[in-house]
């Protein structure tokens, strides 16, 4: 599963999850792409356990 992020969906700032400063903050959530993808992966792999 691949997620494509639009340029207009991203901004610069500090991730509310990990605290890293990056240009890949999802504006809607305030969380960076890395943390978002990590959360999705965790939910998909741990589902049903």
């Amino acid at each position: 599963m691949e997620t494509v992020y639009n340029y207009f969906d991203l901004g610069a700032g500090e991730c509310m999850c990990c605290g890293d400063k990056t240009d890949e903050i999802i504006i809607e959530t305030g969380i960076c792409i890395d943390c978002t993808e990590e959360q999705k992966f965790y939910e998909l792999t741990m589902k049903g356990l």
Side-chain angles (χ1 to χ4, degrees), residues 20-45:
D20 284 350
K21 293 183 180 179
T22 179
D23 293 336
E24 297 179 335
I25 300 291
I26 300 172
I27 295 171
E28 187 176 303
T29 63
I31 299 174
C32 69
I33 291 175
D34 290 339
C35 288
T36 301
E37 293 299 318
E38 185 177 305
Q39 289 173 355
K40 286 181 185 179
F41 177 77
Y42 179 81
E43 289 172 6
L44 289 172
T45 59

Side-chain angles (χ1 to χ4, degrees), residues 3-11 23-27 33:
T3 305
V4 177
Y5 297 97
N6 188 345
Y7 173 78
F8 299 106
D9 296 333
L10 302 175
D23 293 336
E24 297 179 335
I25 300 291
I26 300 172
I27 295 171
I33 291 175

